[in-house]
Amino acid sequence: YKGIFLPGYKSLDGTADPLLAGLADTKLNFIDHCVGNQPDGEMEITADWYINKLDFHRFWSVDDKDIHTEYSSLRSIVVADYDEKVKMPINEPAAGLRKSQIQ
């Protein structure tokens, strides 16, 4: 297949998106962050991927001693792009009396 996207796709080149006209204005100017919840033991691997492949850096991190309740806890690493405009919190569950809030 040698098309510009998927079979049957037609480019809108220069025309307005027909779906946007029917949508309400969200007043959304930017997205602050996007969270990636990982299975236990995969947070570091995922953070390393962002650092090594996308040139992000470690912005902030906490462990289950910082974020916990009597029943639940989690660990988190936040990676960010060079300008720190894009932040990606990467979480994994930690042991507690019940399942973590991200499970």
Side-chain angles (χ1 to χ4, degrees):
Y1 178 73
K2 301 211 186 269
I4 59 172
F5 185 55
L6 294 172
Y9 176 82
K10 293 183 177 113
S11 176
L12 294 176
D13 293 329
T15 61
D17 184 333
L19 297 177
L20 290 180
L23 298 176
D25 185 8
T26 63
K27 310 276 191 246
L28 181 66
N29 295 323
F30 63 90
I31 296 172
D32 176 68
H33 68 282
C34 183
V35 177
N37 292 328
Q38 304 300 316
D40 192 16
E42 294 189 22
M43 176 184 67
E44 290 280 352
I45 295 165
T46 304
D48 287 344
W49 185 89
Y50 279 88
I51 291 165
N52 295 323
K53 303 293 185 196
L54 301 180
D55 204 25
F56 278 36
H57 64 274
R58 199 171 187 140
F59 179 77
W60 184 72
S61 60
V62 293
D63 64 18
D64 48 325
K65 293 169 193 65
D66 299 310
I67 301 178
H68 68 278
T69 69
E70 179 182 351
Y71 301 105
S72 164
S73 61
L74 65 84
R75 294 179 286 271
S76 183
I77 296 172
V78 178
V79 292
D81 70 331
Y82 177 80
D83 296 323
E84 297 183 350
K85 292 186 189 239
V86 176
K87 294 177 189 77
M88 183 73 187
I90 303 163
N91 302 328
E92 71 179 1
L97 296 177
R98 297 185 184 155
K99 283 189 173 189
S100 169
Q101 58 264 44
I102 65 169
Q103 288 176 298

